[in-house]
Amino acid sequence: MQTSQFAITEGDFRSLFIRDVLDGLQQPKKSLPSKYFYDSQGSQYFDQICNLEEYYPYRTELSMLPDVARDLNSILQNSWEIVEFGAGSLVKIRLLLQQLDNIEHYVPIDIAGDHLRQASDRLQQEFPQVSVLPIEADFTQPAPLPETRSLPKLGFFPGSTIGNFSPEQAQIFLSNIRQSLGKHSRLLIGVDTKKDPNVLHNAYNDSMGVTAAFNRNILTHINRICDANFDSQTFAHYAFYNPVASRIEMHLISTLAQEVNIDDQMIAFSEGENIHTENSYKYTPDEFLALAATSGWDREKIWQDKAHMFSIFLLSAR
């Protein structure tokens, strides 16, 4: 496995992290970027979430991917390169690589560098015929791809992570990755569907409290990187479905009046004040296709499970 030359430096990462955190917490309605959930501990918590009975998206998408991969194998002729955005533990890519015959390079992009490198080492051993080229970077920002020979690129963005963006942000993100992937590219993307609000509520409020621990861990991550002194146990996990906005909202609620120091800046919290940590927008297939079309992507194929709990789209760059 080759090591990518495009990893951001520790100093740059810390500066960006502090800026993003202070920008969000100094607003009248406090918020944090959900991308900072994913340090090594946060990635481990998310892996645990994916195994929970209540968390249907992971289980449903995983069951769909073998059939999707078989269909893709007949669509993708000649050699291709796969670029996965927010690659995490590299579980789902295995289901593609087991079926696809023409993949020369695989480029996973993730902000959790140690977790990414360990997962990439394991994947390279499992698929020696594919060149694994990890990039430690914020996948929400444009990043240069490795200088491999000119191959058409298949973007891979599973797991309904597109829902973490507002529709306006999603449009920008989809436009950016179309430009990064280039001409003749395709995008395989997972999208969560609108469904019974009780099912959605339970998926983000599991009985074992793993999602709550995942949510609070963002504060522990801030403590480590930003010289902060959050007491994560003084913040309560709160998640609910907002039917007007068609999104799950995840928050941390301060259970007391307190002050927190972050890189020599003091942030005050009143009792009951919340930090908005994540959104997860839900789309009907037609709604998502309309969004993708405004970003230069056209429908090629759609897969859904029998209960219509989840959708996977294959899009072509216009």
Side-chain angles (χ1 to χ4, degrees):
M1 182 187 73
Q2 301 179 38
T3 301
S4 169
Q5 60 182 305
F6 301 115
I8 56 178
T9 68
E10 184 175 345
D12 288 343
F13 175 75
R14 185 177 186 276
S15 296
L16 291 169
F17 196 124
I18 292 172
R19 185 194 67 189
D20 288 345
V21 167
L22 289 176
D23 282 352
L25 294 182
Q26 290 173 338
Q27 299 300 315
K29 293 185 178 180
K30 293 180 172 64
S31 65
L32 289 170
S34 59
K35 63 187 177 184
Y36 293 129
F37 281 131
Y38 298 98
D39 62 349
S40 292
Q41 181 61 65
S43 297
Q44 290 175 28
Y45 277 135
F46 187 72
D47 288 346
Q48 294 175 39
I49 289 170
C50 290
N51 290 318
L52 295 171
E53 181 178 351
E54 297 99 327
Y55 195 72
Y56 66 87
Y58 179 83
R59 182 175 60 253
T60 305
E61 186 180 33
L62 212 63
S63 70
M64 296 169 65
L65 280 173
D67 287 338
V68 171
R70 281 189 285 271
D71 290 346
L72 271 180
N73 199 42
S74 64
I75 295 172
L76 302 180
Q77 302 298 317
N78 303 314
S79 296
W80 282 75
E81 177 178 302
I82 297 180
V83 180
E84 183 173 1
F85 301 91
S89 296
L90 312 190
V91 173
K92 294 171 185 174
I93 189 62
R94 286 173 164 80
L95 299 176
L96 297 188
L97 295 180
Q98 287 166 2
Q99 302 286 341
L100 299 179
D101 297 327
N102 299 318
I103 306 303
E104 284 197 19
H105 303 123
Y106 168 60
V107 181
I109 304 173
D110 202 273
I111 201 168
D114 291 342
H115 193 75
L116 174 64
R117 283 185 287 274
Q118 293 169 13
S120 295
D121 286 341
R122 292 191 294 270
L123 188 78
Q124 184 66 89
Q125 293 174 16
E126 190 174 341
F127 296 94
Q129 76 279 12
V130 178
S131 178
V132 179
L133 305 167
I135 296 179
E136 179 187 356
D138 177 359
F139 74 87
T140 67
Q141 302 299 317
L145 298 178
E147 294 182 3
T148 56
R149 74 182 182 89
S150 182
L151 293 173
K153 293 176 175 58
L154 171 67
F156 186 37
F157 196 42
S160 74
T161 308
I162 191 67
N164 296 151
F165 300 104
S166 70
E168 295 77 16
Q169 292 168 334
Q171 181 182 18
I172 294 170
F173 174 73
L174 291 171
S175 295
N176 286 343
I177 64 174
R178 180 178 58 84
Q179 293 176 8
S180 295
L181 295 175
K183 294 181 179 179
H184 312 300
S185 60
R186 290 182 167 105
L187 175 64
L188 187 69
I189 183 169
V191 180
D192 200 8
T193 61
K194 294 180 178 179
K195 56 182 66 66
D196 183 342
N198 291 313
V199 174
L200 291 168
H201 178 86
N202 291 338
Y204 293 83
N205 293 277
D206 64 275
S207 58
M208 295 180 65
V210 181
T211 309
F214 172 74
N215 198 8
R216 290 191 188 96
N217 183 70
I218 196 171
L219 303 181
T220 304
H221 193 193
I222 292 170
N223 284 348
R224 188 177 69 255
I225 302 297
C226 304
D227 295 324
N229 62 341
F230 277 104
D231 179 355
S232 63
Q233 295 308 306
T234 64
F235 288 83
H237 166 73
Y238 182 55
F240 64 93
Y241 181 62
N242 180 335
V244 175
S246 301
R247 71 188 188 194
I248 285 282
E249 294 185 17
M250 205 151 74
H251 299 259
L252 289 168
I253 312 297
S254 179
T255 58
L256 48 82
Q258 57 183 307
E259 295 178 350
V260 176
N261 293 310
I262 303 171
D263 192 44
D264 297 328
Q265 296 285 323
M266 190 275 287
I267 305 294
F269 292 87
S270 58
E271 182 178 356
E273 188 172 9
N274 77 293
I275 308 171
H276 192 165
T277 55
E278 186 178 58
N279 290 320
S280 183
Y281 284 82
K282 313 301 175 183
Y283 295 93
T284 67
D286 286 344
E287 286 172 341
F288 182 73
L289 286 171
L291 175 65
T294 64
S295 305
W297 294 99
D298 293 327
R299 166 184 173 167
E300 188 163 350
K301 191 173 179 64
I302 302 175
W303 297 264
Q304 282 194 310
D305 63 295
K306 291 181 180 179
H308 291 181
M309 298 284 281
F310 198 85
S311 303
I312 298 176
F313 296 80
L314 180 64
L315 306 175
S316 299
R318 190 178 310 132

